Amino acid sequence: MMCTEVKEKQDQDPILLKLKANVHKQKVLAFEQGGDSVLRYQGRLCVPRVDELQERIMEEAHSSRYSIHLGSTKMYRDLREVYWWSSKKKGIAEFVAKCLNFQQVQVEHQRPGSMAQNIELPKWKWEMINIYLFTGLPRSHRKHDSIWVIVNRMTKSAHFFPVKITHSAEDYAKLYLQEVVRLHRVPVSIISDRGAQFTAQFWKSFQKGLGQR
């Protein structure tokens, strides 16, 4: 049903109309039109930016009872098989990060020394992370007295950042956006040793920063 609507509404998007015209003039090679006059990019349906079609496709893929709140990487891979639109990967990452239900399911908290948890095994690199804070270290010349460690749960590779004990959850969120998201992707699961309140505040600040990018 969604594919039918995508095909019917392509001509309502001026960008896709321009692409169709360029296909006829043989000015673009990656796009094509078959006998049904539907615009495709490397065999994938081009989704017009009208009637919130792109958002509805993401909502359907993310929230259906079959997908059970997919992470951004898995969701992107699945949608890439069928659909194309400009900046799709970034849009999916932002959509997943802002999904309230997904946050409630995925934001976890681990207390040191507590009983072992059944932790979901990651499927993609940097989709599930653990974060730790090591304090009480000798102060550096830049006044750093702690180390913030971000561990990729799948490969066990990690990033180490010098921080200050006075840093807030918002400071950590900004640091993660600047130094980790640019290299990897938006995480879908966080386990922290700082407590549920810190984790919730970190995720809230992270969302806000992601929306401003």
Side-chain angles (χ1 to χ4, degrees), residues 129-159:
I129 64 167
N130 287 40
I131 55 179
Y132 307 96
L133 182 66
F134 296 91
T135 60
L137 303 178
R139 185 172 298 178
S140 70
H141 68 283
R142 293 187 177 181
K143 309 301 182 183
H144 296 125
D145 54 11
S146 306
I147 295 291
W148 193 40
V149 183
I150 303 170
V151 181
N152 171 17
R153 209 180 301 168
M154 181 178 185
T155 65
K156 308 306 179 186
S157 58
H159 290 287

Side-chain angles (χ1 to χ4, degrees), residues 30-32 39-46 80 82-84:
F31 293 87
E32 60 184 4
L39 186 68
R40 292 178 173 85
Y41 175 79
Q42 297 181 347
R44 289 168 272 167
L45 277 174
C46 296
R80 185 178 59 182
V82 182
Y83 299 109
W84 175 90

Side-chain angles (χ1 to χ4, degrees), residues 67-132:
S67 64
I68 314 177
H69 294 285
L70 295 176
S72 59
T73 304
K74 179 63 165 62
M75 184 172 162
Y76 172 76
R77 290 174 184 268
D78 287 352
L79 290 179
R80 185 178 59 182
E81 298 297 318
V82 182
Y83 299 109
W84 175 90
W85 66 81
S86 178
S87 302
K88 175 157 58 83
K89 191 169 187 178
K90 179 182 178 182
I92 289 173
E94 293 175 350
F95 177 89
V96 171
K98 292 176 182 178
C99 175
L100 181 60
N101 291 333
F102 185 70
Q103 295 164 33
Q104 292 172 345
V105 171
Q106 293 294 335
V107 175
E108 304 162 293
H109 166 60
Q110 180 180 7
R111 293 184 182 276
S114 63
M115 295 181 65
Q117 300 181 56
N118 291 323
I119 300 173
E120 182 183 357
L121 295 177
K123 296 179 180 179
W124 310 106
K125 297 177 181 178
W126 291 100
E127 196 171 55
M128 297 181 177
I129 64 167
N130 287 40
I131 55 179
Y132 307 96

Side-chain angles (χ1 to χ4, degrees), residues 1 49 60 84 89 94 99 140-141 172-173 175 210 213:
M1 182 65 71
R49 194 178 295 275
E60 182 180 86
W84 175 90
K89 191 169 187 178
E94 293 175 350
C99 175
S140 70
H141 68 283
Y172 288 108
L175 181 60
L210 189 66
R213 296 186 73 181

